[in-house]
Amino acid sequence: MADIEQGRNAAPEAAFHTMSVEAVAQMFSVDITKGLTTQEAKMRFERDGPNELTEKKKRTIWERIWDQINNVLVFILFVVAVVSAIKGATSTGDEAITSWIEVGLILGVIILNTWIGIRQEGSAEKSADALKAMLSSDATVLRDNTLSTVPARELVVGDIVELATGDRIPADLRLFKVSNLASQEAALTGESLPVEKITTVIEAENPASVPLGDRKNLCFSATLISQGQGRGIVMRKGDDTEIGQINNLVSKVEKKKTNVLVQIDIVSRWIAVFVIFTAIVTFLVAFFYTLAEEEEFADDKTKRGLESVSIALVTAVAMIPEGLAAIVTLTYAWAVSNMAKHNAIVRVLPAVETLGSVTVICSDKTGTLTMNLMSMVAFVTSNGRFKVDTTTDKRDPSTIVRD
């Protein structure tokens, strides 16, 4: 039991590509000809947990709403809406109707801007979900000297996994048996060609310096078997896998504001200061000068004060650019649409601004920039040559045109 615990703790750091099959099997206390027993697999599952990627804690809808309304201009609008509601509740006739219309318009603007903002969020979460979707749903394992199919989440370290053409690898494996085996590892290494696998030890003075693509006696979670068959020992699972480390990095991506959004925040603060100052001046002028000379308000300071506040707030609302966020979003959307016409797809709207500032793009290889999927672009028949529209996900006759 002590050896098993030691092996489990050493697994994330061990250089399995430089270890012999016998050493790895001993580390995880498994017989590679029979596999783990069902009882042992159950015990390890209860100890280590499922073979899954840890999901980033998703923000609730209330947290998303707060992010959108946590703005000084929005707070001013809320104050105006509250005062207008109080005025509407205490007034009668046309004045009350006008006040409630003001409340409805202000709240409508806030709700619309909030809805637009929430619609544009969640890129990092989508990236993490995409990584999770790459994982295998089941696996063929050797337990109690019998091959069986189990859910991939139930795999444990030390399990013997059977691989065949078309399988998506469910965990990081140390291979000990291969037959013309090759895997597609573009998702990790960017290499477009399948990597042929071996079982022999890879000699290296510094094991950590060996690139993933050269660790040919290993198979990695979420990659695809393109040909052949093989078997391997589960050496890492879940967050300890190579794809799990990428998932952790994606989940820790900090949300940074682009330069335009930072400038909008600065402008908003200055506008808020100016609006508050102007509203105070307007109130003072209305209370002590303009309304003080009218018979209706001259002797009733309470009524004069309420009317002065109303005038000041109307002035404040008139100066606040309520649609500022919506205008910026629409501008981004127009830019994205314009780039799409030139076959450039932008997933996150604010990225358009960043792209506009780019002068040089450095890239090592095309495999890191594509999905590594082959697609037919043209074909020839006895009737002529035809082109296929590769910019659309649809696959029907409407995407095929005669060349």
Side-chain angles (χ1 to χ4, degrees):
M1 181 64 72
D3 291 340
I4 298 175
E5 187 69 22
Q6 183 179 358
R8 179 174 69 92
N9 294 334
E13 296 81 18
F16 291 102
H17 54 288
T18 62
M19 298 172 60
S20 66
V21 174
E22 293 75 15
V24 176
Q26 184 179 4
M27 174 183 287
F28 294 115
S29 301
V30 60
D31 183 346
I32 62 174
T33 62
K34 298 180 180 179
L36 297 173
T37 63
T38 302
Q39 183 179 0
E40 177 65 21
K42 182 179 179 181
M43 184 187 72
R44 295 188 185 190
F45 180 81
E46 292 175 351
R47 180 192 66 192
D48 300 337
N51 174 35
E52 294 177 335
L53 299 181
T54 300
E55 293 188 26
K56 180 182 178 181
K57 182 182 178 182
K58 295 184 178 181
R59 292 182 302 161
T60 65
I61 185 63
W62 300 112
E63 290 173 327
R64 291 172 180 264
I65 291 174
W66 172 249
D67 286 344
Q68 296 301 318
I69 64 175
N70 186 17
N71 181 289
V72 63
L73 295 182
V74 176
F75 291 153
I76 293 176
L77 288 175
F78 271 124
V79 171
V80 174
V82 171
V83 173
S84 297
I86 294 174
K87 184 178 177 181
T90 56
S91 303
T92 57
D94 293 341
E95 189 175 357
I97 295 175
T98 302
S99 297
W100 286 117
I101 291 176
E102 287 180 3
V103 174
L105 290 175
I106 293 171
L107 293 181
V109 168
I110 294 174
I111 292 172
L112 178 62
N113 286 337
T114 302
W115 179 78
I116 293 175
I118 291 176
R119 289 269 297 180
Q120 305 307 325
E121 287 190 350
S123 60
E125 292 176 359
K126 291 178 182 177
S127 299
D129 291 342
L131 286 174
K132 187 178 178 182
M134 292 174 63
L135 300 182
S136 175
S137 59
D138 52 41
T140 302
V141 299
L142 180 67
R143 290 180 182 173
D144 297 319
N145 201 27
T146 303
L147 285 174
S148 60
T149 300
V150 300
R153 69 182 303 275
E154 295 181 6
L155 282 182
V156 297
V157 289
D159 256 329
I160 306 301
V161 177
E162 178 93 358
L163 301 173
T165 303
D167 287 349
R168 192 171 290 279
I169 301 170
D172 286 1
L173 310 176
R174 170 60 166 96
L175 299 171
F176 64 85
K177 179 182 178 181
V178 297
S179 176
N180 194 33
L181 186 69
S183 68
Q184 185 60 261
E185 299 177 352
L188 290 177
T189 65
E191 296 292 345
S192 59
L193 298 177
V195 179
E196 294 186 1
K197 295 300 180 179
I198 60 176
T199 60
T200 56
V201 173
I202 296 175
E203 302 292 342
E205 293 183 3
N206 182 9
S209 66
V210 180
L212 289 181
D214 293 336
R215 301 180 187 184
K216 297 183 179 181
N217 54 8
L218 307 181
C219 275
F220 302 103
S221 177
T223 59
L224 191 68
I225 299 297
S226 58
Q227 67 181 40
Q229 296 178 326
R231 284 188 181 183
I233 305 172
V234 175
M235 58 184 189
R236 298 189 186 99
K237 65 187 188 71
D239 290 332
D240 293 331
T241 63
E242 295 296 333
I243 199 71
Q245 295 179 34
I246 295 176
N247 178 67
N248 289 334
L249 292 175
V250 170
S251 299
K252 293 176 182 176
V253 171
E254 295 183 5
K255 185 178 179 182
K256 293 185 67 176
K257 291 186 176 182
T258 63
N259 191 42
V260 165
L261 297 180
V262 171
Q263 292 180 19
I264 288 175
D265 285 344
I266 295 173
V267 170
S268 297
R269 294 190 189 100
W270 280 108
I271 290 176
V273 171
F274 181 74
V275 166
I276 293 172
F277 174 77
T278 305
I280 292 174
V281 171
T282 302
F283 170 79
L284 295 176
V285 171
F287 185 82
F288 292 105
Y289 180 71
T290 306
L291 297 180
E293 296 179 355
E294 296 185 12
E295 287 186 26
E296 183 181 355
F297 303 103
D299 298 327
D300 192 343
K301 290 186 177 181
T302 302
K303 188 175 182 180
R304 194 201 325 169
L306 187 59
E307 186 64 22
S308 299
V309 169
S310 177
I311 294 173
L313 292 179
V314 168
T315 304
V317 171
M319 290 188 293
I320 294 176
E322 299 95 338
L324 183 60
I327 292 172
V328 172
T329 301
L330 291 174
T331 304
Y332 281 152
W334 175 83
V336 169
S337 176
N338 194 32
M339 293 187 68
K341 295 177 183 178
H342 295 83
N343 299 326
I345 299 174
V346 181
R347 292 179 56 204
V348 186
L349 293 185
V352 174
E353 175 204 342
T354 305
L355 287 173
S357 305
V358 172
T359 55
V360 178
I361 297 178
C362 300
S363 174
D364 57 348
K365 52 180 79 76
T366 57
T368 57
L369 300 177
T370 68
M371 295 180 63
N372 198 45
L373 297 176
M374 296 184 67
S375 178
M376 180 176 65
V377 296
F379 63 93
V380 179
T381 70
S382 59
N383 294 326
R385 179 182 172 87
F386 299 86
K387 281 186 176 181
V388 180
D389 184 3
T390 57
T391 62
T392 178
D393 293 333
K394 294 194 301 181
R395 290 293 178 264
D396 55 51
S398 65
T399 64
I400 301 172
V401 296
R402 184 182 291 273
D403 191 357

